[in-house]
Amino acid sequence: MLQDLHVAVRMWQHFRGHIGRMRHQNSPPELAHDCALFLDIDGTLLNFSVDPLGVEVPPGLPPLLRGLAGWLDGALALLSGRRLADIDQLLGAGFAAGAEHGAVLRAGDGAIIAEARPDPALQALRAPLAEAVGRHPGTLLEEKRFGLVLHWRAAPQAQEALTELGQALAAPHPGLVLMPAHAALEIRQRGTDKGAALERFMALPPYAGRRPVFIGDDVTDEPAIARAREMGGMGLHVARDFGGKVEAVRAWLAASLEKGRMDVATLQS
Ligand SMILES: [Mg+2]
C-alpha cells in the first residue's frame, strides 16, 4: 500500500517535470532586467470565478509581484478592468495600476497620474441593469466608476437577453461603448483603453527608456498587446503564449525573477 503510494508519487513527479519542461520549451524568452512589465489580472494572473470578488489569490502571488517590481526598479504596473479599490483588496496596496481599463492611472507611490471624468449616461443605466440581473438568477452586475459589467458565468442561458438589453440601453449614448468579455459584457466610457494606459506609463519614470512587456487574455487586452509590440517590446497573450494557463504565466514570471536575481548575484560577486 505504502509502496503503491511511493510509486504514484514518483510517477506524478516525473509527469510534473515533463509538463514543466514542455511549458518551458514553449514559453516566451525570460524577462530582461531592462523591461517594464504590465500585467492584466483576471484570466492572466488569476483564474476566473463566478463572483469577480470571490477570486482566489494564491498566497505566493503578491510577494512574486513585489519581487518583480523590486527587481525591475519599480517598472511594473497592473492594467485591469477592475476598480482601483478592488485591485488593492486583491493584491495589496502599493502597486502602480491602470484601473478600469486605464480610466484611472496610479503610480507606485500612490499618486494619481490621470483620471477620466465619469459619464453621467452611465449613471442612468445602473437601475435598469440592476433590475435585469434581478430577473436572471445567477447573474450579477459589477458597478464601477467608469463602467458597468453584466456577468453570467453561473447562468450562461442569460447571455442573449442581457446582451440585447445592454446593447439597447447603450445605443442612445455615443459616449458609451460595449466590450464583450469572458462570460460578461461591459458597458464603459469611450476614450480609454489599456494600450493608451501602457503608453502613458511608458512616458514616465521608472518605465521610460525600458522595453514594455504586457501579458493579457482578453479582447480588452489587445490594444496593449499591440502597443507593447509597436514600442519594441513583447505583447503576450495567455492562450497564444502560455497554453491558456494562468499557472504557466505565474511560473514564467517566477522563473524570470529567479534567473534575474541569480544574474544580479553573479554580477555582484
Ligand atoms: Mg483579463
Side-chain angles (χ1 to χ4, degrees), residues 40-45 48 79 81 182 194 216-218 220-221:
D40 169 52
I41 299 175
D42 296 87
T44 298
L45 297 174
F48 291 107
L79 299 185
H182 288 299
K194 291 188 185 183
D217 71 300
D218 209 344
T220 55
D221 295 314

Side-chain angles (χ1 to χ4, degrees), residues 16 54 57 217:
R16 196 179 53 178
V57 180
D217 71 300

